[in-house]
Structure formats: structure tokens, C-alpha cells
Amino acid sequence: MSKRRPLVAGNWKMNGSRAESAALVDAVRRGVGPGARVEVALCPPFILIPLVAEKLAGGPVSWGGQSLDTHKSGAYTGEVSGPMLKDYDCAYVIVGHSERRALYGENDGVVAEKFGAAQAAGLVPILCVGETLAEREANRTEAVVARQLDAVVNKHGIASLKNAVLAYEPVWAIGTGKTATPQQAQDVHRFIRGRLAARDQAVADGLRILYGGSVKSANAKELFGQPDIDGGLIGGASLNAEEFLLICRAAD
Ligand code: PGA
């Protein structure tokens, strides 16, 4: 069990009509009690943020974006900035999700810039790191995760992680139904925390590191029971209120 306040964040990805999203967010809000130890957040597609913000305002569940542009405003057709997310009272924004890295060409440098843009706007970045199956099989998991982390820490300093959340998301486990075993996940979480502790013990101790990749109610309790796993980033299962709430309870 983690010493830090657990966070369970739903990543809806590119899913949900207005009607479906309204029903989902209402059910999550009803299901999360004000006194819960676990913190719950929802990250819908940009266009649904106003709806979600209106429904969650004043309650215990927070919300955020799934990405942001590195610029504050200007001629960047199709993009959404950190200040725009903040204007809708987003608390969080996901940065460096493996789908952004793989499908939209976001390399470590861009991810580090986005991390800085998020913090400059007063948002807490949820920085995603994780290896592909080929990288794991080549025994490169730690090297890849270290490279992804260092890109951010070298640019913004270790203290920038006081206002951030990490998510370890092995690419081979995302949306595949193949979850990392609790021990596989814990091993990487411990590696990450240890690496950061070498720079600043207090920052490493306080940092929440979420696990993501096919988390379900059936495996959440065991994953969240690991000492260095401080909650989850939930994709597919966050689209079902009942299932998502069971996962939240598993972290409570
Ligand atoms: P999944 O996605 O839970 O559907 O595997 C996790 C994520 O991409 O954040």
C-alpha cells in the first residue's frame, strides 16, 4: 500500500458522445464520496471538457486534458493550449502518452516542452513513460524509461516533479488486455523512484507514480497494493462507470 494519496485518473481517449459522457460523469460523481482517500480525475476529449467541468464543479472529482500544445496562443490550427485548459479549471493534463509519441510524432524533446507548458499554465502534468514489447524483450525497459524521464528532469530540474504525477504505462499493456504483473510493474516503479531519489530523496518520496495498461477491477487491488504504485491511469475501463468506480475503490 502506497504512503502517498492515491490518484486514479480516467483517460477517455477519443471516445464519448455528449449524452454518453454526461451519463458517465454523473455516475462517477455520484459514486465518489467527499471523504474518499483516493483522488479521482477524469480526462475527456477537449470538446467534452466544458460539459465535464460543469458537472464536476464543486465536487471531489477533478478533471484534465489529454494533451496540450507547447504554445500559449497563436497560429497553431487545431491545437489547444495550457491556459485554455486552465480556463476550464482543469487540474491535470496528460503529457507524453504513448499514443501521442507513436501516432503524432511527439519525441522526448516535445514531451519535455509540453511538460513545461503545462506547469507554466498552472496545470499538473501526468507524465507518461513506458517501453514497447520489443524494448522489454531486448532488456531495455530501464534504459528507455530513464531516457524518457531524464528528458524532462534535465530540462526542468528535479524540483519540477513536486508538481507532477508520473504514469508508468508499458506500451504492450495498453488496450491489449495484457496487464503487467504487479511484480513487473512494481519493479519499474521502484526503479523510477530510486533513480529520482538519487537526485532528491524528498521529491522521489512524495511523487505519485501511477500504473497504466489494461487495469480492470479484477487486477486493480493487487497492482495498487504494491509499495511504489500510487494509483492508476485507466483507459478502456474508465468508459464504464461501474467498473471505473470499482477501480477507484481498489485504490482507496
Ligand atoms: P488501457 O489504457 O487502460 O485501455 O490499457 C491506458 C492508457 O492508455 O492510459
Side-chain angles (χ1 to χ4, degrees):
M1 175 57 105
S2 151
K3 299 181 287 190
R4 295 151 288 268
R5 185 181 182 201
L7 170 65
V8 174
N11 173 11
W12 292 3
K13 310 197 179 186
M14 196 174 73
N15 290 295
S17 66
R18 273 198 292 172
E20 285 163 350
S21 304
L24 179 56
V25 72
D26 282 342
V28 171
R29 178 164 182 168
R30 273 197 306 275
V32 177
R37 175 167 185 260
V38 61
E39 183 187 352
V40 178
L42 296 178
C43 299
F46 290 136
I47 199 165
L48 293 167
I49 286 177
L51 171 84
V52 168
E54 195 186 307
K55 287 188 170 287
L56 293 179
V61 179
S62 44
W63 58 95
Q66 297 174 10
S67 183
L68 80 168
D69 193 59
T70 54
H71 306 88
K72 289 197 187 98
S73 65
Y76 303 101
T77 301
E79 292 299 322
V80 169
S81 72
M84 288 171 171
L85 294 176
K86 190 65 187 173
D87 194 30
Y88 279 90
D89 297 318
C90 286
Y92 294 101
V93 61
I94 299 169
V95 168
H97 190 280
S98 63
E99 286 151 21
R100 301 295 315 174
R101 294 180 190 260
L103 304 174
Y104 301 96
E106 294 186 11
N107 59 25
D108 290 336
V110 171
V111 171
E113 271 191 63
K114 290 193 169 195
F115 181 98
Q119 290 193 329
L123 301 162
V124 175
I126 300 176
L127 171 66
C128 301
V129 297
E131 82 289 359
T132 62
L133 185 58
E135 288 164 341
R136 173 162 284 262
E137 286 175 345
N139 256 324
R140 292 184 47 228
T141 298
E142 292 188 353
V144 168
V145 167
R147 190 202 74 221
Q148 292 171 333
L149 267 180
D150 288 355
V152 169
V153 175
N154 292 342
K155 187 173 171 81
H156 300 293
I158 184 78
S160 67
L161 293 181
K162 281 187 207 162
N163 262 321
V165 173
L166 287 190
Y168 168 58
E169 297 207 307
V171 179
W172 48 272
I174 295 178
T176 58
K178 281 190 216 147
T179 322
T181 65
Q183 193 57 53
Q184 281 175 320
Q186 165 60 22
D187 287 347
V188 180
H189 284 233
R190 193 199 313 109
F191 166 75
I192 292 172
R193 203 179 302 284
R195 189 175 173 88
L196 297 172
R199 300 215 197 193
D200 189 318
Q201 184 75 50
V203 168
D205 282 345
L207 180 68
R208 293 186 289 184
I209 309 177
L210 315 183
Y211 169 78
S214 299
V215 178
K216 316 181 251 295
S217 60
N219 58 27
K221 190 129 201 137
E222 235 196 310
L223 285 161
F224 300 160
Q226 302 300 313
D228 288 298
I229 300 184
D230 309 306
L233 183 56
I234 317 300
S238 72
L239 298 171
N240 176 319
E242 206 180 318
E243 178 69 5
F244 183 65
L245 286 166
L246 285 171
I247 293 169
C248 295
R249 272 173 219 132
D252 210 8

Short mmCIF file of all heavy atoms in Angstrom, two decimals, residues 11 13 94 97-99 128 169 173-177 212-215 233-237, ligand 1:
data_model
loop_
_atom_site.label_atom_id
_atom_site.label_comp_id
_atom_site.label_asym_id
_atom_site.label_seq_id
_atom_site.Cartn_x
_atom_site.Cartn_y
_atom_site.Cartn_z
N ASN A 11 -8.60 8.10 -18.56
CA ASN A 11 -8.22 8.63 -19.85
C ASN A 11 -9.24 8.11 -20.87
O ASN A 11 -9.15 6.96 -21.29
CB ASN A 11 -6.80 8.17 -20.20
CG ASN A 11 -6.39 8.54 -21.62
OD1 ASN A 11 -7.07 9.32 -22.28
ND2 ASN A 11 -5.29 7.98 -22.08
N LYS A 13 -9.60 8.85 -23.85
CA LYS A 13 -9.10 8.85 -25.23
C LYS A 13 -10.15 9.50 -26.13
O LYS A 13 -10.85 10.39 -25.69
CB LYS A 13 -8.73 7.42 -25.67
CG LYS A 13 -7.83 6.75 -24.61
CD LYS A 13 -7.10 5.56 -25.10
CE LYS A 13 -6.23 5.03 -23.97
NZ LYS A 13 -5.38 3.94 -24.38
N ILE A 94 -2.52 15.16 -19.32
CA ILE A 94 -1.65 14.03 -19.66
C ILE A 94 -0.61 14.51 -20.68
O ILE A 94 -0.95 15.21 -21.63
CB ILE A 94 -2.49 12.86 -20.25
CG1 ILE A 94 -3.53 12.38 -19.22
CG2 ILE A 94 -1.58 11.72 -20.69
CD1 ILE A 94 -4.57 11.41 -19.81
N HIS A 97 1.75 10.67 -23.53
CA HIS A 97 1.10 9.36 -23.65
C HIS A 97 1.71 8.61 -24.85
O HIS A 97 2.04 9.23 -25.86
CB HIS A 97 -0.40 9.53 -23.83
CG HIS A 97 -1.14 8.24 -23.73
ND1 HIS A 97 -1.21 7.36 -24.79
CD2 HIS A 97 -1.79 7.66 -22.70
CE1 HIS A 97 -1.90 6.29 -24.40
NE2 HIS A 97 -2.26 6.45 -23.13
N SER A 98 1.81 7.30 -24.74
CA SER A 98 2.49 6.54 -25.80
C SER A 98 1.78 6.69 -27.14
O SER A 98 2.41 6.58 -28.19
CB SER A 98 2.62 5.08 -25.42
OG SER A 98 1.34 4.50 -25.28
N GLU A 99 0.45 6.92 -27.12
CA GLU A 99 -0.25 7.13 -28.40
C GLU A 99 0.18 8.45 -29.03
O GLU A 99 0.30 8.56 -30.25
CB GLU A 99 -1.77 7.06 -28.18
CG GLU A 99 -2.21 5.62 -27.96
CD GLU A 99 -3.43 5.45 -27.08
OE1 GLU A 99 -4.22 6.40 -26.92
OE2 GLU A 99 -3.60 4.33 -26.54
N CYS A 128 3.69 10.45 -18.91
CA CYS A 128 3.68 9.01 -19.18
C CYS A 128 5.02 8.54 -19.73
O CYS A 128 5.60 9.19 -20.61
CB CYS A 128 2.61 8.68 -20.21
SG CYS A 128 0.95 9.15 -19.71
N GLU A 169 3.44 3.33 -18.10
CA GLU A 169 2.50 2.63 -18.97
C GLU A 169 3.27 1.82 -20.00
O GLU A 169 3.64 2.34 -21.06
CB GLU A 169 1.60 3.63 -19.70
CG GLU A 169 0.72 4.44 -18.78
CD GLU A 169 -0.56 4.89 -19.48
OE1 GLU A 169 -0.48 5.49 -20.56
OE2 GLU A 169 -1.64 4.60 -18.95
N ALA A 173 1.01 -3.17 -22.82
CA ALA A 173 -0.12 -3.45 -21.93
C ALA A 173 -1.30 -2.52 -22.18
O ALA A 173 -2.38 -2.71 -21.61
CB ALA A 173 0.33 -3.34 -20.47
N ILE A 174 -1.12 -1.51 -23.04
CA ILE A 174 -2.18 -0.51 -23.23
C ILE A 174 -3.21 -1.02 -24.22
O ILE A 174 -2.90 -1.29 -25.38
CB ILE A 174 -1.58 0.83 -23.72
CG1 ILE A 174 -0.70 1.41 -22.62
CG2 ILE A 174 -2.69 1.80 -24.10
CD1 ILE A 174 -0.02 2.71 -23.01
N GLY A 175 -4.43 -1.17 -23.72
CA GLY A 175 -5.54 -1.57 -24.59
C GLY A 175 -5.43 -2.98 -25.13
O GLY A 175 -6.16 -3.36 -26.04
N THR A 176 -4.55 -3.77 -24.58
CA THR A 176 -4.31 -5.11 -25.12
C THR A 176 -4.90 -6.21 -24.25
O THR A 176 -4.95 -7.37 -24.67
CB THR A 176 -2.79 -5.39 -25.21
OG1 THR A 176 -2.24 -5.23 -23.89
CG2 THR A 176 -2.09 -4.42 -26.15
N GLY A 177 -5.30 -5.84 -23.03
CA GLY A 177 -5.75 -6.86 -22.09
C GLY A 177 -4.59 -7.56 -21.40
O GLY A 177 -4.79 -8.38 -20.51
N GLY A 212 -0.44 2.28 -15.60
CA GLY A 212 -1.48 2.24 -16.62
C GLY A 212 -1.20 1.15 -17.62
O GLY A 212 -0.04 0.87 -17.97
N GLY A 213 -2.27 0.53 -18.09
CA GLY A 213 -2.15 -0.55 -19.07
C GLY A 213 -3.07 -1.69 -18.67
O GLY A 213 -2.69 -2.51 -17.84
N SER A 214 -4.28 -1.69 -19.26
CA SER A 214 -5.25 -2.77 -19.01
C SER A 214 -5.58 -2.98 -17.53
O SER A 214 -5.74 -4.12 -17.09
CB SER A 214 -4.79 -4.07 -19.67
OG SER A 214 -4.69 -3.90 -21.07
N VAL A 215 -5.67 -1.87 -16.78
CA VAL A 215 -6.14 -2.00 -15.39
C VAL A 215 -7.65 -2.24 -15.43
O VAL A 215 -8.38 -1.60 -16.17
CB VAL A 215 -5.85 -0.73 -14.56
CG1 VAL A 215 -6.41 -0.87 -13.14
CG2 VAL A 215 -4.36 -0.44 -14.52
N LEU A 233 -3.70 5.02 -14.22
CA LEU A 233 -4.21 5.78 -15.36
C LEU A 233 -5.02 4.77 -16.18
O LEU A 233 -4.46 3.78 -16.68
CB LEU A 233 -3.07 6.39 -16.16
CG LEU A 233 -3.45 7.28 -17.36
CD1 LEU A 233 -4.37 8.42 -16.94
CD2 LEU A 233 -2.20 7.86 -18.01
N ILE A 234 -6.31 5.02 -16.27
CA ILE A 234 -7.25 3.98 -16.72
C ILE A 234 -7.84 4.39 -18.07
O ILE A 234 -8.51 5.42 -18.17
CB ILE A 234 -8.41 3.81 -15.70
CG1 ILE A 234 -7.89 3.82 -14.25
CG2 ILE A 234 -9.22 2.57 -16.02
CD1 ILE A 234 -6.91 2.72 -13.92
N GLY A 235 -7.60 3.59 -19.10
CA GLY A 235 -8.15 3.88 -20.42
C GLY A 235 -9.51 3.23 -20.58
O GLY A 235 -10.52 3.74 -20.11
N GLY A 236 -9.54 2.10 -21.26
CA GLY A 236 -10.79 1.42 -21.61
C GLY A 236 -11.78 1.30 -20.44
O GLY A 236 -12.97 1.58 -20.59
N ALA A 237 -11.28 0.91 -19.28
CA ALA A 237 -12.18 0.67 -18.15
C ALA A 237 -12.76 1.96 -17.57
O ALA A 237 -13.71 1.91 -16.78
CB ALA A 237 -11.44 -0.11 -17.05
P1 PGA B 1 -5.97 0.97 -21.10
O1 PGA B 1 -5.25 2.37 -21.44
O2 PGA B 1 -6.40 1.04 -19.66
O3 PGA B 1 -7.13 0.90 -22.05
O4 PGA B 1 -4.96 -0.11 -21.33
C1 PGA B 1 -4.43 3.01 -20.52
C2 PGA B 1 -3.92 4.31 -21.09
O5 PGA B 1 -3.68 4.36 -22.30
O6 PGA B 1 -3.76 5.30 -20.38
#
